[in-house]
Amino acid sequence: MTVLESRPTKLVDHFALGLNAPICLTWELTYACNLACVHCLSSSGRRDPRELSTAECKVVIDELQRMQVFYVNIGGGEPTVRHDFWELLDYAVEHHVGVKFSTNGVKLDAAAARRLAATDYVDVQISVDGASADVNDAVRGTGSFRTAVAAMENLAAAGFRGFKISVVVTRENAGQLDAFKALADRYDAQLRLTRLRPSGRGADVWADLHPTDEQQRALYQWLVAHGDNVLTGDSFFHLSGLGDPLPGLNLCGAGRVVCLIDPIGDVYACPFAIHDQFLAGNLREPGGFQRVWQDSALFASLRKPDGGGACSSCSMFDACRGGCMAAKFFTGLPLDGPDPECVQGHGAAALAAAGGAVIPKPSGDHSHKGPVRGQPVLVPLSVRRPDRACDESPLAGLPA
């Protein structure tokens, strides 16, 4: 893997200029999901009838193998409800494309767990948003905590060590960090914490659910103390302005080292920025995914050297690089401005100054019709596939 534009600078600066293939990418195989999580980044629920066929998915896997993509994060939606999920998983493994897939556990019974434990080059991530049923189910739906724990128990019983327990940190669960770590330790799993973004349905709940300033500071200190054993997917680089940078890539990797393929083949710069402004192309068009990644005008613009905009004069800019593009966009802030959760307070001031500015709405809403928030939705066995986003640091596996 080489850098698209070669310059003799630090490794992170090379990444900022973009690589000729993503280190990892998120691939949402389906929007179908048996849950209706209040913060779902892709507003999943109903399957899109235009989603890629099994044959088209295999062509994408072939392309990722040729491009030497390190691994793909399979998500959605709930990936395991796609009828060809296991076929595609096996095909990716056979073609040396690593798979990390996220699931709420609905299809992860004892037999599936044994199959995964016997499969190389696959990692599993169980999504929970509370260390107790009351906290989790308020976000993910009644019974979802019980389903997730059953999946964990099946994986542990099958001898699958080191699977991930993935948590989106919210105002309601920020005080449960130690309990989440204990839950992971109980099953010989690894905890993964990610940031709540105002993406998808998350845009409707962000103001009420994103952690308070005090919780952000406590989270930073907790990550400093536990960072060697907890993954973050580089979600919290905006907190690095509180002190020493957190481990990982303190840079928005959108269109540089990561991107998103959605169920119908649209390629977006970031899993959290599903909006026409960040749509780079569609892999069903001539040239496939490689053409989109290497020739997209959008990606070319994202790979230009970043002057820092309004944040360039801040002493903490090198630590946080201005924060998360999606968090800014979906709260109505300019992309060259501060992160809405800027630890120096600049984001809060910018939000206050924005006042009644029109806030962009995420593209596409695949939510279930009708009152399903409080309970899981029954999904027929003949429906289709996964859940969501980038696992550990994109730097994983690379020389320091």
Side-chain angles (χ1 to χ4, degrees):
M1 187 177 294
T2 57
V3 180
L4 285 175
E5 182 179 345
S6 179
R7 294 189 181 186
T9 53
K10 296 180 296 184
L11 183 60
V12 68
D13 293 325
H14 283 303
F15 285 173
L17 297 174
L19 305 179
N20 70 346
I23 292 175
C24 67
L25 60 86
T26 295
W27 185 359
E28 294 177 348
L29 289 177
T30 187
Y31 286 126
C33 190
N34 59 308
L35 299 183
C37 303
V38 300
H39 58 15
C40 180
L41 67 91
S42 58
S43 299
S44 285
R46 294 172 291 118
R47 174 180 175 267
D48 191 313
R50 301 170 295 167
E51 70 183 30
L52 299 173
S53 67
T54 303
E56 287 177 310
C57 288
K58 288 182 177 180
V59 169
V60 174
I61 292 169
D62 291 340
E63 195 168 15
L64 299 181
Q65 181 187 25
R66 289 194 301 272
M67 294 176 70
Q68 298 183 312
V69 172
F70 284 8
Y71 64 88
V72 57
N73 290 295
I74 299 295
E78 169 53 46
T80 61
V81 302
R82 239 190 98 128
H83 74 90
D84 55 1
F85 172 73
W86 293 103
E87 180 182 351
L88 293 175
L89 182 72
D90 290 342
Y91 189 84
V93 171
E94 291 165 3
H95 289 75
H96 310 291
V97 176
V99 174
K100 300 173 185 287
F101 76 91
S102 296
T103 176
N104 58 49
V106 66
K107 295 295 186 69
L108 227 170
D109 58 15
R114 288 192 297 269
R115 180 173 182 170
L116 289 168
T119 304
D120 293 330
Y121 223 33
V122 174
D123 198 8
V124 186
Q125 182 169 285
I126 308 296
S127 298
V128 294
D129 288 307
S132 54
D134 58 333
V135 176
N136 176 85
D137 291 7
V139 171
R140 305 185 65 83
T142 303
S144 57
F145 186 74
R146 181 175 62 250
T147 298
V149 170
M152 296 177 204
E153 291 176 346
N154 288 334
L155 287 171
F160 195 121
R161 303 290 178 252
F163 66 87
K164 310 300 185 290
I165 296 176
S166 181
V167 177
V168 177
V169 180
T170 68
R171 192 170 302 180
E172 300 303 317
N173 67 25
Q176 294 187 314
L177 298 178
D178 288 335
F180 283 124
K181 185 65 171 60
L183 182 66
D185 292 344
R186 183 188 311 164
Y187 294 107
D188 200 10
Q190 189 169 22
L191 179 61
R192 177 179 182 264
L193 301 178
T194 58
R195 182 182 179 186
L196 175 68
R197 269 90 162 191
S199 307
R201 286 195 294 268
D204 297 327
V205 299
W206 186 82
D208 294 324
L209 281 186
H210 79 97
T212 65
D213 291 345
E214 182 180 356
Q215 288 174 328
Q216 297 269 17
R217 288 190 293 271
L219 171 62
Y220 171 79
Q221 295 298 335
W222 194 90
L223 289 173
V224 169
H226 298 84
D228 291 341
N229 298 305
V230 176
L231 303 175
T232 65
D234 297 327
S235 288
F236 301 108
F237 61 91
H238 71 292
L239 297 180
S240 292
L242 290 171
D244 293 333
L246 296 169
L249 185 65
N250 66 328
L251 171 76
C252 173
R256 298 175 172 110
V257 296
V258 299
C259 67
L260 167 75
I261 299 174
D262 86 347
I264 64 172
D266 281 339
V267 181
Y268 292 88
C270 169
F272 302 100
I274 302 177
H275 187 278
D276 289 347
Q277 183 166 326
F278 303 105
L279 176 60
N282 188 286
L283 52 75
R284 280 172 162 153
E285 297 168 355
F289 174 72
Q290 184 167 357
R291 181 199 61 81
V292 177
W293 178 262
Q294 295 184 352
D295 298 336
S296 159
L298 170 66
F299 287 174
S301 67
L302 291 172
R303 292 163 186 162
K304 291 179 180 178
D306 183 7
C311 293
S312 60
S313 61
C314 178
S315 62
M316 296 300 173
F317 176 70
D318 285 341
C320 77
R321 299 294 182 106
C324 173
M325 176 181 76
K328 288 185 272 192
F329 183 76
F330 287 121
T331 52
L333 297 182
L335 298 185
D336 62 353
D339 188 288
E341 293 181 304
C342 168
V343 297
Q344 302 297 313
H346 303 308
L351 287 173
V358 177
I359 298 176
K361 295 293 184 182
S363 298
D365 188 346
H366 313 278
S367 301
H368 296 289
K369 302 298 184 181
V372 300
R373 183 72 71 225
Q375 59 186 14
V377 178
L378 296 179
V379 176
L381 293 177
S382 60
V383 194
R384 317 194 116 129
R385 309 177 285 261
D387 180 4
R388 73 168 175 269
C390 209
D391 205 334
E392 61 242 42
S393 168
L395 293 170
L398 291 181

